[in-house]
Amino acid sequence: MSMSENRYETAVARYFEAWNATGSAEELAKAVEAAWSADGSYTDPLADVTGYEAIAAVIGGAHAQFPGFEFRLDGAVDGHHHLARFRWELVSVADGSAPVAGSDVITLAEDGRVATVAGFLDRVPPTA
């Protein structure tokens, strides 16, 4: 793996650590700060937010709606220049079902953290 490939995979791993932080609010805040740049943003069909607190609130909302689920990478991370894309699923820890899936395109800041996320929902349950 080249250093640039590692850069993308490292950023995406931190991104999933933030999305899967289910401990205290402090743990979530630390995970978001480790993954995103200070002025980072997250946009998908349900949210358009900027900054650590707003991003943490979106993540907390996802966990409130889907308790007992975790976000998992679905396939490989593809990246070039300052962009990376990947697919993900929201998977039940109890039974392995994955009612939600999507794909994200991220831009990386100079320090390797996420600057922006453009998220797409590819599969959602009818009641979401």
Side-chain angles (χ1 to χ4, degrees):
M1 176 182 303
S2 74
M3 286 182 66
S4 63
E5 288 172 338
N6 186 40
R7 177 179 182 222
Y8 306 123
E9 298 213 1
T10 298
V12 171
R14 284 193 310 254
Y15 178 76
F16 279 104
E17 287 171 11
W19 275 100
N20 288 322
T22 57
S24 70
E26 287 179 356
E27 289 174 275
L28 175 55
K30 285 181 183 179
V32 168
E33 288 180 29
W36 268 270
S37 60
D39 59 349
S41 66
Y42 177 84
T43 303
D44 73 11
L46 306 173
D48 186 7
V49 299
T50 300
Y52 295 143
E53 289 182 22
I55 293 167
V58 168
I59 292 171
H63 286 289
Q65 186 174 1
F66 294 96
F69 283 75
E70 66 183 17
F71 289 87
R72 294 185 188 163
L73 184 63
D74 180 22
V77 176
D78 182 25
H80 64 81
H81 296 88
H82 63 282
L83 299 168
R85 67 177 177 171
F86 53 91
R87 293 183 319 273
W88 53 265
E89 292 184 312
L90 184 60
V91 179
S92 168
V93 176
D95 66 14
S97 63
V100 182
S103 52
D104 291 352
V105 175
I106 64 173
T107 58
L108 299 181
E110 288 299 318
D111 66 2
R113 291 186 294 166
V114 174
T116 66
V117 177
F120 297 85
L121 299 174
D122 302 328
R123 179 176 64 238
V124 296
T127 58

